[in-house]
C-alpha cells in the first residue's frame, strides 16, 4: 500500500483511514520508522547517581529491544546490547552499581564498555575471544540531560535536534532537573499517529482546550517546518507567563508562552518558562499507545509549574483522540484534507511517514 502525500498542502489529502486501522501496516511502520528513529531512553542523571548500569527495553511489546546504558569509571557513557553474545541470555534486568556485566547463565563477563572480559570453559576455543564476543554498541546521544538511542539511525541525532538547539540557545537547558513527582504515564486507546496528528495542530485549541485557549493569542499562533522537526510557537495573551528573550534573537519582542516542538516520529518537546515537558508517544500496538510525560524544571521554577494547565489539556486531548480512534474505524471514512494555514505540522508529519514507508 502506498501513501503518497502531495507536497502542496492546498491540494494534499491526509493519510487514509487504513493507515491508522491496519495491524499489518503498523508492523511495517515499526520496521520502516521506529527501527530507524531516535528514542528517548532515560534521564542522564540516572547514570550520574550511583548507578553504573541501566537496562532499558525499547518500545516494550513493539520493538522489544533489550539495551544497556553504562557509565564507566572515567565517566564515559556507553550504549550496547543487553543480550549475552554466548547463547543470547538477557544480561541485566535491574539498575545496578556493578563494575562488571556478568551473565547469570554461564558466567561470561563484560567490561562496562561492552568488551569481553572472561568466560569459563573456553580455554580450548580457537580464535576466541574475537570482536563478535563483545556486546554490540548501539548509537546514542546525550542532550539537555536526556539520553536518546536509535537501532539503525538514517539521520544523526545532531542533525535532527540542531534547529531546536539553535533557537533555544538562550535557555540554560543543561541546568534543568528531572522531576519524577511531576511525571506521569497516560494510556490512550488510540493509534499512536492519531495522538501525534492531534498534537501537531492548534486548530482544535479553541474547541477542545478552553483553559489553554485563554493563555494563548490564537491569531498569532505560528507553524515552522524543519527537516525532521517542526515548531508551533505559542504566543501568549499578555497575561500568561512569557520567556525573556535576549536582544538580537529572532523572537525578541514576541510574547512567547511556549515553544512546542515535535521531533519525528514520536517525541514532543514543550518548552515553558519553568522548564520542559516532554511527551514520548510509545505505540504498544496498532490501537493502543502509552504516552510518557516527563517533567524537567529549572532550579527556581516550581511555583510557575503549578499554574500550568497541562493535566487538564492532556485529558481533553485524550478525550478527542479516543473518539477519533472510534470514528476512523468507520467504513465511511476515507481520508481528509489539511487546513493550509493551521495544519502544516500534520502535513509535514504525514509527508515524513510516507517517505519513510517508501524508503
Ligand atoms: S548465555 Fe551468557 S554465558 Fe551463556
Ligand atoms: Fe490539544
Amino acid at each position: 500500500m502506498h501513501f503518497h502525500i502531495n507536497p502542496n498542502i492546498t491540494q494534499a489529502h491526509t493519510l487514509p483511514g487504513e493507515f491508522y486501522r491496519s495491524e499489518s501496516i503498523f508492523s511495517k511502520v515499526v520496521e520502516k520508522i521506529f527501527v530507524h528513529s531516535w528514542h528517548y531512553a532515560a534521564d542522564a542523571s540516572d547514570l550520574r547517581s550511583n548507578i553504573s548500569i541501566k537496562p532499558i527495553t525499547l518500545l516494550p511489546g513493539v520493538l522489544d529491544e533489550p539495551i544497556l546504558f553504562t557509565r564507566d569509571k572515567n565517566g564515559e557513557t556507553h550504549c550496547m546490547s543487553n543480550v549475552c553474545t554466548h547463547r543470547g541470555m538477557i544480561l541485566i534486568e535491574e539498575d545496578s552499581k556493578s563494575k562488571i556485566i556478568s551473565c547469570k547463565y554461564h558466567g561470561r563477563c563484560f567490561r562496562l564498555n561492552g568488551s569481553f572480559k572472561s568466560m569459563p570453559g573456553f580455554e580450548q576455543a580457537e580464535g576466541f575471544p574475537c570482536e563478535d564476543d563483545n556486546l554490540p554498541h548501539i548509537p546514542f546521544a546525550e542532550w539537555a540531560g536526556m539520553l536518546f538511542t536509535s537501532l539503525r539511525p538514517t539521520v544523526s541525532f545532531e542533525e535532527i535536534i540542531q534547529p531546536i538547539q539553535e533557537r533555544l540557545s538562550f535557555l540554560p537547558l543543561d541546568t534543568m532537573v528531572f522531576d519524577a513527582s511531576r511525571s506521569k504515564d497516560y494510556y490512550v486507546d488510540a493509534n499512536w499517529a492519531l495522538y501525534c496528528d492531534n498534537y501537531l495542530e492548534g486548530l482544535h485549541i479553541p474547541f477542545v482546550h478552553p483553559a489553554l485557549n485563554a493563555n494563548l493569542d490564537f491569531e498569532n499562533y505560528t507553524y515552522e517546518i524543519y527537516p525532521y522537526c517542526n515548531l508551533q510557537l505559542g504566543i501568549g495573551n499578555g497575561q500568561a507567563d512569557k520567556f525573556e528573550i535576549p536582544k538580537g534573537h529572532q523572537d525578541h519582542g514576541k510574547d512567547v508562552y511556549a515553544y512546542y516542538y515535535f521531533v519525528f516520529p514520536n517525541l514532543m518537546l514543550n518548552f515553558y518558562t519553568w522548564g520542559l515537558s516532554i511527551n514520548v508517544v510509545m505505540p504498544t500496538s496498532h490501537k493502543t499507545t502509552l504516552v510518557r510525560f516527563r517533567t524537567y524544571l529549572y532550579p527556581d521554577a516550581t511555583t510557575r509549574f503549578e499554574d500550568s494547565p497541562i493535566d487538564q489539556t492532556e485529558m481533553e486531548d485524550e478525550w478527542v483522540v479516543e473518539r477519533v480512534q472510534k470514528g476512523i474505524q468507520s467504513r465511511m471514512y476515507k481520508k481528509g484534507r489539511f487546513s493550509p494555514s493551521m495544519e502544516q505540522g500534520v502535513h509535514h508529519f504525514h509527508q515524513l511517514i510516507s517517505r519513510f514507508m517508501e524508503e
Side-chain angles (χ1 to χ4, degrees), residues 198 204 209 317:
N198 172 71
H204 72 277
H209 305 302
D317 280 324

Side-chain angles (χ1 to χ4, degrees), residues 27 43 132 182 191 207 227-228 266:
S27 311
D43 180 58
D132 287 349
R182 291 182 171 82
N191 179 276
F207 301 99
Y228 298 97
N266 65 335

